[in-house]
Amino acid sequence: MSFTLARAALAVGLMFAPSEAPTHDFAAEGLDPVALESGVRARVGAVIDEWSIEVRATELRGTYAIELRPIHDPDDPDAALDLREVSLVGVTDEDRSRELAATLALILMESSEFEPEPEPEPEPEPEPEPLVVPRAVISLEGHAGVGAPSQPDADAGLGLGAGVWLVREHLQPRVRARWARSAGEDLHVDGLSFGAGLAGGVPLGPWWFGVLALPTFKWTRGFDRKPSTALSGGGELTAMVQFRRPWLVVGLRTGIETTFRPVLVRGSNDVIRWGPVRWLLVLELGLGLGRIDGARR
């Protein structure tokens, strides 16, 4: 029984035993073999285990013969010895061992075609997507207006507007139609206005900043006990800013609205006056149409 177990242990040992172990003979006169092997291993790592190395002192002081043989060369299993002779200038065993370790490491790196692993190339930064903005817009507008402090007669209303960006987005022809109302105790005034004008400005990314001049034609109707109507002209002079996305445009305008002739409607108990100059605030929410590719600007 014990004989069978011994045979099995021997078979397992032979199965896992290396076919050929490297031999490193660094015990030459004038060297520190432990320091020499540690110095070589620190420089080349496991490459030293791919070679059998023998270092012998020669008759010349400070000169050593080195024999190197690869443990396994798949192209040439019977590779011949690599013979080298090295002269050292170190005074102590430690100096010579350190010098020889550097020389041996260089020989092993050359013979093994040892190359450090290349550093991974940094991944290129993704290019930003080109900015895309609409070519034109149709928008719903809400507005508020107020007159001079002595006769504010505030009004508010809704409207429809449209615009298109031209000349590298520096010009924006616009049209709009608007309804407005002012109301008092018993009197209210409604107004319809239609206009077309031109805005000039600059695009900054998705933003657009400009100034709008828009002449208008106005029709107003006041009603208390009986209606009265009037026709007048005027316009809008406003500073504007718009934020544009491919399908959405949000804008804000503020400035003055003019009316010539001024509208004056008298009721039983109230008077509503839309004077020649009124402050105006407009908020627009629009649908973007068409596309301007930022890469082609």
Side-chain angles (χ1 to χ4, degrees), residues 68-276:
L68 301 99
R69 182 192 297 273
I71 297 301
H72 176 64
D73 187 342
D75 298 325
D76 185 8
D78 300 324
L81 289 173
D82 185 359
L83 303 177
R84 306 289 181 102
E85 191 171 282
V86 177
S87 296
L88 306 176
V89 297
V91 178
T92 65
D93 291 359
E94 290 78 9
D95 293 340
R96 286 187 291 271
S97 299
R98 190 180 304 110
E99 186 179 350
L100 183 57
T103 303
L104 263 176
L106 182 60
I107 294 172
L108 291 176
M109 286 191 289
E110 291 176 349
S111 302
S112 305
E113 298 181 355
F114 178 84
E115 294 182 1
E117 293 185 3
E119 295 184 2
E121 295 183 1
E123 295 184 1
E125 296 184 1
E127 295 184 0
E129 295 184 2
L131 178 67
V132 178
V133 295
R135 169 70 67 182
V137 61
I138 297 177
S139 56
L140 177 66
E141 299 182 354
H143 85 276
V146 66
S150 59
Q151 292 178 316
D153 292 334
D155 72 278
L158 297 174
L160 288 175
V164 58
W165 286 274
L166 303 174
V167 192
R168 300 180 66 86
E169 303 173 72
H170 290 300
L171 295 181
Q172 186 183 160
R174 291 185 65 90
V175 295
R176 70 142 171 90
R178 178 190 297 162
W179 163 78
R181 164 169 281 200
S182 287
E185 243 180 77
D186 300 312
L187 175 66
H188 63 262
V189 175
D190 292 292
L192 294 176
S193 64
F194 305 90
L198 180 66
V202 293
L204 294 175
W207 297 89
W208 195 87
F209 299 89
V211 175
L212 170 64
L214 190 143
T216 58
F217 170 78
K218 301 181 179 183
W219 174 85
T220 55
R221 179 179 184 272
F223 183 83
D224 185 357
R225 295 181 178 178
K226 61 179 181 178
S228 61
T229 61
L231 296 176
S232 60
E236 173 185 333
L237 181 62
T238 51
M240 60 189 300
V241 58
Q242 294 170 307
F243 180 75
R244 302 173 297 167
R245 302 302 296 169
W247 295 102
L248 177 67
V249 178
V250 180
L252 184 68
R253 305 199 307 270
T254 186
I256 60 173
E257 182 179 24
T258 59
T259 303
F260 303 105
R261 304 175 295 172
V263 174
L264 178 63
V265 181
R266 298 181 183 274
S268 302
N269 301 310
D270 298 313
V271 175
I272 292 178
R273 184 174 188 267
W274 289 353

